[in-house]
Amino acid sequence: KSGSPEKVPGSSSGTIRSKFETNPKYRMTPDKMRAAIERATSRWQPLITEACQKYGITKFIPFVKAIIYQESGGKPDAVGKNRNGTYDRGLMQLNSAYFKHPNIMDPEVNIDLGVKNIARLVQRFKGNLIDVAASYNCGHPEGLPSKSQPGGRWGIPNLTKYTYVPNVIYMMKAQGVTD
């Protein structure tokens, strides 16, 4: 059922909801979310489809669109500075520490590299989109989580676990993906 809660590994209650379901400031029905995603990504649809075909993950097109919406809102010139001094760039917010292509801001290059990364993560995590989304958000192209836990332990940051992943899952459901 669209909008139902997802189980997120490591949560104390086992159920986490997207800000689009719970926060009045961001609340969006699935229909409004689907329309917002389409507005933000329709311009890039041919590039998304081409890259997903190239890397054999066409069934993950709605996931790629959710990532683009979450990461940049569909803005090709988006740049975000991280606490460690690196930058996330372009539609798919690729981390400058790992993605060093000279034309990273070019939507075609950015989508191609981002989808290639997603394809690797899909293979690594056997299609588990919760793990794929969490690892993508951590920024490393091999899907290794950041070293952000107390004591320098490796782990998925809480912001990723409790905000990013539920938002992406909600966006997938808004696009009609149910499994």
Side-chain angles (χ1 to χ4, degrees):
K1 171 179 149 189
S2 183
S4 64
E6 287 300 312
K7 301 272 185 207
V8 177
S11 70
S12 57
S13 68
T15 302
I16 305 295
R17 290 190 171 275
S18 166
K19 71 179 180 182
F20 301 115
E21 295 173 282
T22 60
N23 187 327
K25 181 178 176 183
Y26 298 103
R27 189 165 289 143
M28 237 190 250
T29 65
D31 287 339
K32 286 183 180 179
M33 175 59 70
R34 181 176 35 261
I37 292 168
E38 285 306 312
R39 277 191 306 276
T41 62
S42 62
R43 176 179 174 190
W44 315 114
Q45 185 65 47
L47 297 175
I48 294 166
T49 301
E50 180 183 334
C52 287
Q53 288 172 340
K54 178 178 176 180
Y55 297 109
I57 60 166
T58 54
K59 79 177 199 174
F60 295 97
I61 288 173
F63 181 79
V64 172
K65 291 166 70 174
I67 294 292
I68 289 172
Y69 186 80
Q70 176 70 25
E71 293 286 347
S72 68
K75 298 177 183 109
D77 57 349
V79 176
K81 185 173 182 181
N82 298 310
R83 285 177 284 185
N84 65 4
T86 62
Y87 290 88
D88 295 333
R89 295 187 166 125
L91 286 163
M92 299 195 74
Q93 291 292 279
L94 302 178
N95 189 286
S96 61
Y98 305 110
F99 297 93
K100 302 205 183 275
H101 195 286
N103 296 323
I104 200 73
M105 296 298 284
D106 178 313
E108 185 173 358
V109 171
N110 196 273
I111 289 171
D112 185 74
L113 291 173
V115 170
K116 182 178 181 180
N117 185 26
I118 289 171
R120 284 188 199 138
L121 297 174
V122 164
Q123 183 176 4
R124 177 175 181 187
F125 295 110
K126 298 175 177 49
N128 181 325
L129 293 184
I130 290 174
D131 290 343
V132 173
S135 293
Y136 186 90
N137 186 240
C138 289
H140 193 284
E142 296 303 320
L144 300 174
S146 67
K147 204 173 194 178
S148 64
Q149 300 300 308
R153 294 188 320 267
W154 291 94
I156 304 286
N158 283 338
L159 190 59
T160 295
K161 199 179 335 183
Y162 299 120
T163 303
Y164 187 89
V165 171
N167 289 348
V168 170
I169 297 301
Y170 184 75
M171 289 179 220
M172 296 278 299
K173 288 181 177 182
Q175 294 178 81
V177 177
T178 58
D179 56 354

